[in-house]
Amino acid sequence: MPSTALTRTLLRRTTATTLYLLRRAMSTDAASEAISPATTRIGWIGTGVMGRSMCSHLIHAGYTLTIYTRTQSKAQPLIDLGAHFAPSPAALAARSHVVFSIVGYPSDVRSVHLHPSTGTLSTLPPGATLVDMTTSDPSLAREIASSASQKGCAAVDAPVSGGDRGAKAGTLSIFAGGDEAVVRRLAPLFECLGRVNYMGGPGKGQFAKLANQITIGSTMVGLVEGMVYAHKAGLDVGVYLDAISSGAAGSKSLDLYGSRILGRDFEAGFYVNHFVKDLGICLRECEKMGIALPGLALAQQLYVSLQAHGEGGLGTQALILALERMNNISLEAAPLSSS
């Protein structure tokens, strides 16, 4: 008969093998099961300007949601809709099949997902999926995807564009990076939030969003410069904006922010502080790539000047304030239109 020590060794090996096979079976089942309100539990981290509206769409679609935010009172409107609150990202992940996050900075993303004791990956079940919708570093997206894969899970980087109005209307543009089959499987959830665009492997969603931010930065500079010029030329700026909206100078930025700027409405649909963060990531990526984008650099400096004046908590349309200061004028007295 084998010795007691040998018996224990064999039992440990058998148990380890059984657990491994069980985890693989659970991973396969979870990854292949269709997503639906009846079968899929959702975790949501981050209930700010964007996250609150996005999360509510999933609740209204019938999904069971557990939410985490550092300030529980900010989650109260969602709790009133039926969401459950978790005390940590790890507690949230343990009861979720799909975990979404949309937080402020790459450091926040790293903390909520990769912290060894409180991060989502410390408890996420095999076969579950992380979806980070924060605009963040592409390298961090790849790191999270690698860590998730080692635990039998999947990760998708899926930052969004469309601002607070797009979040409220469920019309966001979603840039998805990761395994294409995983992105396709998540389609029922993405459809609640907007239109998903598959951009490639891990990190490619972040690269697409950064290119989007570069475009927006220069577009916003052009928008407010045109408004300052029209004002100085004695034009009715409201009539001017209406006139260009249907021509080649028309843009989503004009549609979203033109009337807000004229109405001196600088409430954040997207914070200046977060936009400076995004443009800073863009500049670092440009340095790595060895490319020069002077329009990006100019936009970043103008937005940094808003921070220097204590205006980082305003929306990106507050860029007009920087141009007004440079030119010692104010559009505040300008009529909205003469019609």
Side-chain angles (χ1 to χ4, degrees), residues 60-113:
H60 290 310
Y63 288 94
T64 299
L65 263 82
T66 301
I67 57 180
Y68 168 76
T69 185
R70 286 177 294 191
T71 306
Q72 184 173 348
S73 60
K74 292 183 178 180
Q76 195 58 49
L78 297 171
I79 295 172
D80 293 340
L81 289 176
H84 307 284
F85 187 80
S88 69
L92 175 146
R95 62 183 79 167
S96 302
H97 298 113
V98 180
V99 174
F100 288 88
S101 60
I102 181 163
V103 292
Y105 297 88
S107 58
D108 299 317
V109 175
R110 178 175 294 279
S111 176
V112 299
H113 293 306

Side-chain angles (χ1 to χ4, degrees), residues 11 14 24 30 61 65 96 129 148 156 183 197 205 212 229 254 269 283-284 337:
L11 283 172
T14 301
R24 285 195 60 185
L65 263 82
S96 302
T129 303
V156 172
V183 173
N197 306 274
N212 177 84
Y229 179 86
L254 189 159
L283 287 169
R284 290 194 294 275
S337 78

Side-chain angles (χ1 to χ4, degrees), residues 14-321:
T14 301
T15 300
T17 301
T18 301
L19 287 173
Y20 171 74
L21 293 173
L22 179 60
R23 285 173 65 90
R24 285 195 60 185
M26 290 173 64
S27 174
T28 301
D29 290 344
S32 60
E33 189 174 56
I35 287 177
S36 73
T39 61
T40 308
R41 296 189 303 274
I42 307 298
W44 192 281
I45 300 172
T47 57
V49 172
M50 302 284 288
R52 183 167 56 250
S53 295
M54 296 163 72
C55 184
S56 69
H57 292 311
L58 295 174
I59 295 174
H60 290 310
Y63 288 94
T64 299
L65 263 82
T66 301
I67 57 180
Y68 168 76
T69 185
R70 286 177 294 191
T71 306
Q72 184 173 348
S73 60
K74 292 183 178 180
Q76 195 58 49
L78 297 171
I79 295 172
D80 293 340
L81 289 176
H84 307 284
F85 187 80
S88 69
L92 175 146
R95 62 183 79 167
S96 302
H97 298 113
V98 180
V99 174
F100 288 88
S101 60
I102 181 163
V103 292
Y105 297 88
S107 58
D108 299 317
V109 175
R110 178 175 294 279
S111 176
V112 299
H113 293 306
L114 297 177
H115 191 282
S117 58
T118 62
T120 60
L121 282 175
S122 67
T123 60
L124 195 68
T129 303
L130 294 179
V131 183
D132 181 39
M133 308 191 88
T134 314
T135 303
S136 183
D137 293 305
S139 59
L140 178 56
R142 292 191 292 265
E143 181 182 350
I144 291 172
S146 176
S147 297
S149 178
Q150 292 172 19
K151 292 179 176 291
C153 303
V156 172
D157 48 291
V160 299
S161 181
D164 60 327
R165 292 185 180 180
K168 291 174 183 176
T171 57
L172 293 167
S173 183
I174 304 166
F175 310 105
D179 185 277
E180 188 171 8
V182 174
V183 173
R184 285 199 304 267
R185 180 173 171 269
L186 294 170
L189 300 174
F190 286 138
E191 287 169 1
C192 295
L193 310 176
R195 182 171 67 92
V196 65
N197 306 274
Y198 179 67
M199 307 309 299
K204 296 300 185 185
Q206 294 295 350
F207 279 121
K209 176 59 188 293
L210 294 175
N212 177 84
Q213 300 302 73
I214 292 169
T215 304
I216 290 175
S218 293
T219 301
M220 287 298 295
V221 172
L223 172 62
V224 298
E225 285 189 342
M227 293 177 72
V228 167
Y229 179 86
H231 171 77
K232 195 68 175 178
L235 297 176
D236 181 313
V237 181
V239 172
Y240 156 74
L241 290 178
D242 185 60
I244 69 170
S245 64
S246 58
S251 68
K252 181 69 74 172
S253 293
L254 189 159
D255 295 340
L256 287 173
Y257 299 124
S259 61
R260 293 193 194 186
I261 292 171
L262 286 180
R264 312 304 285 185
D265 175 8
F266 301 128
E267 183 177 355
F270 191 75
Y271 289 107
V272 166
N273 283 335
H274 289 167
F275 199 45
V276 169
K277 175 262 298 184
D278 293 354
L279 298 182
I281 296 173
C282 293
L283 287 169
R284 290 194 294 275
E285 291 298 325
C286 287
E287 186 175 357
K288 292 177 185 177
M289 296 174 181
I291 58 175
L293 300 181
L296 161 64
L298 172 61
Q300 191 261 0
Q301 286 295 289
L302 289 171
Y303 275 105
V304 167
S305 78
L306 293 180
Q307 289 182 314
H309 283 269
E311 295 159 348
L314 300 181
T316 51
Q317 68 273 25
L319 184 62
I320 189 68
L321 300 176

